[in-house]
Amino acid sequence: MKKKIFSGVQPTGNLHLGNYLGAIKNFVSLNNDDENECIFCVVDLHAITVSQDPAILRENIHETVATFIASGIDPKKSIIFNQSRVSAHSEAAWILSCIARMGWLNRMTQFKEKAGKDKEKASVGLYSYPILMAADILLYDTTYVPVGNDQKQHLELCRDIAQKFNNDFKVENFFKVPEPLIQKEFSRIMSLKDGSKKMSKSESSDLSRINLTDEKDQIINKIKKAKTDSLPIPSSLIELNNRPEARNLIGIYSSLANSTLESSIQNFSGKNFSEFKKDLSEILIDKISPISDEIKRLLNEKSYLNKILEDGYKKADNIASKKIKKIHDIVGF
Ligand code: AMP
Ligand code: TRP
């Protein structure tokens, strides 16, 4: 039996190094393993939980597909589609919202962060967003969900929803209870300006992140301006642990070099940050620029991107429409 892999990325623009190292790089290696059946979804329904300009959203959907392909996901091997095309996602989300409990959702920290101080003004969609995410995953009998660390709590909620549905309707194993796939290291890339905040699309300062579409000189400039401390690079992990900015930059280097923090520390120990930053910029340009060039090239080939989405839609809809029929049956419709 092949392992079923499902993950989603929001088409909200500014895909950055955190998305790449925390999630997309992992998607590529899963795609390359013939033991896996992979589905990568552009979650446009999730994107509208905060307000979006329709023309920009349309462009960002293409950009997300282009980023998947440019990073190395093969659309012949993996299903790539956009969520809103497959109506089973919205339908299943409603049914599962009658299974999930208010108390469970009230614990979601991402909602609290995203809604900020004025929760009364947040959309209802932003609140119930993890239920839609559970629908995405459960419709495809997913075994593994590769995500960054920030999605761990949503995955736990998805597991709770699956188990409650199976128990309530006495349909053992109807929904497969999925496992998160979170990389042990580098699953949380931090802002270049503040090592205590995660790198994010929504952070106002562009200097806080490396976008996957940044030009070489932008990368060099952002790394030059990235926050560090005045000490040289230490010789042990323990010394690095209470220096969040230093740890983050060395983590980024290690992840790009496919090496460990330990071996990077050995390489750079005793050097100062200006020297290290040159090597970091170099490896970033080496790994990110080809992706960036390919994204830009693909964005001029809209018909190719649309064809990928169309093929993906047919394959995904074929799976999801069967599952939603069974859900209707179980619920008593
Ligand atoms: P999003 O852009 O929020 O849809 O996130 C897409 C994927 O990137 C998810 O799997 C996130 O967990 C992951 N991700 C987003 N930001 C970061 C970050 N700063 N570090 C690691 N992974 C991240
Ligand atoms: N909520 C995820 C994020 O913001 C995106 C997402 C939606 C997702 N549906 C999913 C991730 C299903 C994994 C599986 O990053």
Side-chain angles (χ1 to χ4, degrees), residues 190-193 199-200 203-210:
M190 310 311 277
S191 155
L192 299 179
K193 287 279 150 203
M199 187 177 283
S200 154
E203 172 64 48
S204 59
S205 167
D206 196 53
L207 288 175
S208 70
R209 64 181 162 259
I210 304 282

Side-chain angles (χ1 to χ4, degrees), residues 44-294:
D44 46 9
L45 295 171
H46 278 103
I48 62 162
T49 56
V50 296
S51 110
Q52 301 291 339
D53 176 317
I56 296 175
L57 178 61
R58 207 164 282 132
E59 183 65 21
N60 285 337
I61 293 171
H62 283 130
E63 190 176 300
T64 308
V65 180
T67 304
F68 284 168
I69 309 292
S71 304
I73 295 174
D74 177 357
K76 293 203 184 73
K77 281 175 100 175
S78 298
I79 299 177
I80 297 175
F81 76 108
N82 63 319
Q83 192 187 28
S84 60
R85 283 294 302 276
V86 178
S87 57
H89 289 249
S90 315
E91 278 187 62
W94 175 259
I95 296 170
L96 296 180
S97 76
C98 301
I99 303 295
R101 304 292 93 179
M102 293 284 286
W104 299 356
L105 279 165
N106 285 340
R107 287 198 286 271
M108 296 296 116
T109 53
Q110 184 176 291
F111 173 75
K112 289 177 197 161
E113 278 163 27
K114 285 199 176 168
K117 286 199 190 81
D118 202 353
K119 292 198 179 33
E120 298 285 311
K121 291 228 170 91
S123 75
V124 176
L126 188 66
Y127 179 72
S128 61
Y129 159 131
I131 302 176
L132 176 61
M133 177 164 164
D136 299 340
I137 296 166
L138 299 177
L139 279 170
Y140 298 90
D141 299 327
T142 303
T143 25
Y144 292 107
V145 184
V147 279
N149 193 292
D150 60 334
Q151 297 300 316
K152 198 170 169 207
Q153 199 184 28
H154 292 160
L155 249 294
E156 276 155 18
L157 181 87
C158 172
R159 290 167 57 87
D160 289 343
I161 292 175
Q163 275 158 344
K164 183 162 163 45
F165 186 96
N166 291 347
N167 285 337
D168 286 0
F169 293 102
K170 303 194 174 51
V171 282
E172 212 184 322
N173 298 327
F174 172 71
F175 279 137
K176 202 158 174 31
V177 181
E179 301 279 344
L181 263 189
I182 298 173
Q183 302 173 81
K184 282 194 195 74
E185 273 184 316
F186 325 126
S187 66
R188 201 171 154 79
I189 305 297
M190 310 311 277
S191 155
L192 299 179
K193 287 279 150 203
D194 178 351
S196 68
K197 276 198 198 155
K198 78 170 186 176
M199 187 177 283
S200 154
K201 298 170 176 177
S202 50
E203 172 64 48
S204 59
S205 167
D206 196 53
L207 288 175
S208 70
R209 64 181 162 259
I210 304 282
N211 300 307
L212 294 180
T213 48
D214 279 348
E215 300 288 343
K216 292 176 187 154
D217 48 350
Q218 281 174 298
I219 295 179
I220 294 170
N221 184 40
K222 285 177 179 180
I223 293 302
K224 215 179 254 168
K225 296 209 168 120
K227 188 174 167 197
T228 46
D229 49 42
S230 52
L231 299 171
I233 293 175
S235 55
S236 79
L237 254 184
I238 301 162
E239 286 173 75
L240 196 61
N241 278 344
N242 41 15
R243 293 168 61 186
E245 285 83 14
R247 194 179 198 286
N248 188 41
L249 292 184
I250 297 174
I252 291 173
Y253 180 91
S254 311
S255 179
L256 289 166
N258 292 317
S259 99
T260 59
L261 267 181
E262 284 88 345
S263 75
S264 299
I265 291 174
Q266 273 175 11
N267 257 342
F268 292 104
S269 155
K271 293 195 176 154
N272 57 33
F273 271 98
S274 60
E275 242 174 300
F276 167 74
K277 279 179 167 183
K278 276 195 201 117
D279 286 13
L280 177 58
S281 295
E282 221 163 80
I283 196 166
L284 273 165
I285 289 170
D286 199 42
K287 302 275 176 173
I288 299 302
S289 293
I291 297 177
S292 169
D293 294 345
E294 184 63 2

Side-chain angles (χ1 to χ4, degrees), residues 58-59 61-63 65-66 69 75 80 85 295-312 314:
R58 207 164 282 132
E59 183 65 21
I61 293 171
H62 283 130
E63 190 176 300
V65 180
I69 309 292
I80 297 175
R85 283 294 302 276
I295 295 173
K296 286 171 197 152
R297 191 187 70 75
L298 287 168
L299 282 175
N300 289 319
E301 294 200 23
K302 291 279 160 55
S303 58
Y304 172 64
L305 298 175
N306 286 333
K307 167 105 176 45
I308 290 173
L309 285 174
E310 184 65 27
D311 289 351
K314 286 184 194 141

